[in-house]
Amino acid sequence: MQQVDVAIVGGGPAGSSAGHAAASEGADAVVIEKGVPRADRETLGPDSTDAAGILDYWVDIMNLGEPIPEHVKHQELDAAEFVGPNESVELTSTGIDSSYPNFGFTVHRARFDDWLRERAENAGAEYRVGTAVAEVDSDLSGAPTHTLTLRDGTEIQADYLILADGPQRTITGTVLEDWLADDQMAKLDSRKTNHIAYQEYRRIPEELFEDDRIKFWWGYMPGHTAYPWVFPNDEPVARVGLTMPIGMDIDDVANREDYCLLNPEDERIPQGGTYIQRLLQREYPGYDLDDFPLVEDRGKSGGTETYPISSTRPIESPTDANVAIVGGAMGATSEFHEGGDHVAIRTGQIAGTQAARGHLDSYNDRWHNAIGDEVRRNCVFADMVRGYEPDDWDTMFGLISDVKGDDAFSAHEAVYAGWTGAKLFAEYKWKKFGFRDGRYAQIREDDYGSL
């Protein structure tokens, strides 16, 4: 049996960052990654979300200590555009102070993951790819230890366990089920709490390719966190995709005729590829779908990929058991983050550092301090827009002329927008107050009552 200080389940941004941080502190750390194939990677790697990109202040949240290499980047961004059925908002600033000089940048997913893995290995972490964790046995009778049995039969015993297995929580769920009540475990049901994302790599006609912005369409498809997007990659290739709830029933959709990507003859919610075709036909009249060919040597398979995105509400970790949950597994990433590499990297970094130092008991406080403002803001937005229909998005975009880091939009603008603007602003402030002191976390450390 291999003995290590820190075992990390999952080798995506959160897991690799945990491995790098733990090894940098002198711990014996191993990262276990089952590995998935991608068309744009020669070897197996993590099943990471191919996120929109990195915004300026996300660079500071990640706290990498070194610049992201240029070969990892695709495009420097100047703006984000949010399009409603009749109104739109263009943001050329995140409104949050940052050290990065531009609005942000898009990244090559596989290169980003490979660079994070390389950092971890260079720091001294062992990175095992190609075998998954089959079982975790935690012994809490004395100083906690965790025995991981891999599918190849290998056994690894660790003093500290970091769970970075993403929003499906394949291993996280089996570890926590002995420590949480049934009603608490129900909150982690991946089909209920997660969203599904689908995207295609398409070559865009050069005259339409916008290399300096990411674009989102709201109120075009049902689901309060359902929206299509276009993200620029290397010219003139873009990712055209969408996020939507899992298992939505079209019979539950009110005012179906208001959603421009639904057709009257639809008997069920369209598949992702159908939504994308309809978006391209609507937004680029005069062009055929053949003008936007799939680039088949990108993504996971044939220029397409599907992946889960975790719920907006995060969970705290059972640190008394020497266990930390990070990234998508803890719900720190979200549909509003578009994957949230920044919070995944930062939570992994904090967990790895504290585990190596033997002070994992401070992990929950530290991640709240590091990313709490970001997570809280996203939780508030998710609550505010729950139940929104197309007209509501038009109202929102018609009112908001500037998004800011603390107040979401300017009180001055809200007042001059009249009653609707003031009401929207007040709702945001009230919901934000309700999530104070970490109350946005849907499972608190005290909930692990059987430890």
Side-chain angles (χ1 to χ4, degrees):
M1 181 182 296
Q2 182 181 0
Q3 304 281 337
V4 298
D5 299 318
V6 184
I8 300 149
V9 181
S16 290
S17 297
H20 173 267
S24 296
E25 291 288 330
D28 187 7
V30 60
V31 180
I32 301 112
E33 166 56 49
K34 65 179 180 180
V36 298
R38 287 180 64 100
D40 50 11
R41 174 193 279 130
E42 293 183 1
T43 58
L44 296 177
D47 188 14
S48 299
T49 301
D50 201 342
I54 306 296
L55 299 182
D56 54 4
Y57 73 96
W58 292 10
V59 175
D60 297 318
I61 287 178
M62 287 189 291
N63 193 36
L64 287 166
E66 59 182 302
I68 293 176
E70 291 301 314
H71 79 274
V72 169
K73 298 179 183 179
H74 273 313
Q75 302 288 344
E76 292 288 342
L77 299 174
D78 295 327
E81 195 171 341
F82 301 86
V83 182
N86 299 293
E87 300 282 352
S88 63
V89 175
E90 181 188 76
L91 301 178
T92 57
S93 169
T94 60
I96 301 176
D97 291 339
S98 67
S99 61
Y100 196 76
N102 300 326
F103 186 83
F105 53 90
T106 56
V107 296
H108 187 294
R109 174 78 267 163
R111 292 176 189 168
F112 192 36
D113 284 338
D114 291 347
W115 175 66
L116 291 171
R117 171 184 174 177
E118 182 181 347
R119 289 178 79 240
E121 291 181 319
N122 288 343
E126 179 185 356
Y127 196 107
R128 292 193 178 201
V129 62
T131 184
V133 175
E135 183 181 2
V136 176
D137 180 24
S138 297
D139 183 357
L140 307 185
S141 58
T145 59
H146 308 279
T147 302
L148 287 67
T149 302
L150 308 188
R151 289 184 180 172
D152 63 6
T154 302
E155 289 188 336
I156 300 172
Q157 188 176 81
D159 296 327
Y160 293 90
L161 175 65
I162 297 177
L163 298 168
D165 55 337
Q168 292 177 300
R169 299 184 173 113
T170 305
I171 301 302
T172 296
T174 65
V175 172
L176 300 186
E177 63 183 355
D178 291 335
W179 304 334
L180 287 174
D182 290 345
D183 61 330
Q184 298 285 16
M185 280 301 299
K187 297 178 181 179
L188 307 184
D189 185 332
S190 62
R191 289 192 60 82
K192 293 180 180 178
T193 61
N194 290 343
H195 284 62
I196 196 73
Y198 171 80
Q199 67 183 3
E200 299 176 348
Y201 291 73
R202 288 185 175 264
R203 190 172 302 279
I204 308 298
E206 292 188 8
E207 64 274 18
L208 300 179
F209 186 76
E210 298 177 276
D211 63 357
D212 67 340
R213 65 194 54 232
I214 51 180
K215 298 183 71 170
F216 307 85
W217 285 263
W218 290 88
Y220 277 48
M221 49 191 290
H224 74 285
T225 51
Y227 52 93
W229 65 66
V230 172
F231 304 147
N233 279 28
D234 49 322
E235 295 187 39
V237 175
R239 284 170 283 141
V240 186
L242 54 94
T243 299
M244 61 182 177
I246 298 172
M248 176 177 281
D249 189 335
I250 198 167
D251 292 332
D252 296 331
V253 178
N255 305 322
R256 286 177 49 182
E257 66 280 0
D258 293 340
Y259 295 95
C260 58
L261 296 187
L262 285 182
N263 289 345
E265 63 271 17
D266 288 333
E267 296 181 354
R268 61 182 182 178
I269 295 294
Q271 294 184 332
T274 301
Y275 268 138
I276 288 175
Q277 290 177 11
R278 291 177 183 177
L279 177 73
L280 293 173
Q281 290 169 334
R282 175 183 174 84
E283 296 302 310
Y284 306 106
Y287 290 83
D288 297 325
L289 286 174
D290 290 342
D291 296 321
F292 303 87
L294 276 173
V295 183
E296 297 187 359
D297 61 350
R298 308 293 176 89
K300 293 181 183 177
S301 176
T304 69
E305 51 193 15
T306 303
Y307 46 83
I309 298 179
S310 66
S311 66
T312 308
R313 299 287 298 275
I315 65 174
E316 293 184 350
S317 294
T319 60
D320 284 347
N322 284 356
V323 173
I325 312 165
V326 298
M330 69 176 286
T333 63
S334 78
E335 60 274 10
F336 285 100
H337 279 137
E338 273 313 306
D341 289 333
H342 59 313
V343 291
I345 287 170
R346 188 64 178 273
T347 55
Q349 179 188 101
I350 295 169
T353 298
Q354 296 310 116
R357 293 176 179 177
H359 294 295
L360 197 60
D361 56 326
S362 65
Y363 169 64
N364 288 318
D365 286 340
R366 287 178 180 271
W367 77 250
H368 278 295
N369 289 334
I371 68 168
D373 287 345
E374 179 80 342
V375 172
R376 183 184 181 190
R377 188 162 46 244
N378 281 279
C379 290
V380 171
F381 286 157
D383 268 15
M384 283 184 64
V385 304
R386 195 173 301 278
Y388 264 31
E389 296 183 359
D391 287 348
D392 298 307
W393 289 108
D394 277 337
T395 299
M396 171 79 82
F397 294 151
L399 287 170
I400 299 177
S401 61
D402 187 25
V403 172
K404 296 189 176 180
D406 184 51
D407 290 329
F409 51 92
S410 149
H412 172 83
E413 293 293 337
V415 169
Y416 279 90
W419 166 248
T420 303
K423 180 182 177 183
L424 192 65
F425 182 75
E427 181 185 6
Y428 173 81
K429 296 296 287 186
W430 177 248
K431 288 184 178 295
K432 185 176 179 182
F433 177 75
F435 282 133
R436 67 194 183 281
D437 300 327
R439 296 178 189 179
Y440 46 79
Q442 61 180 330
I443 292 177
R444 307 302 295 266
E445 186 158 12
D446 289 345
D447 293 326
Y448 299 99
S450 60
L451 284 177

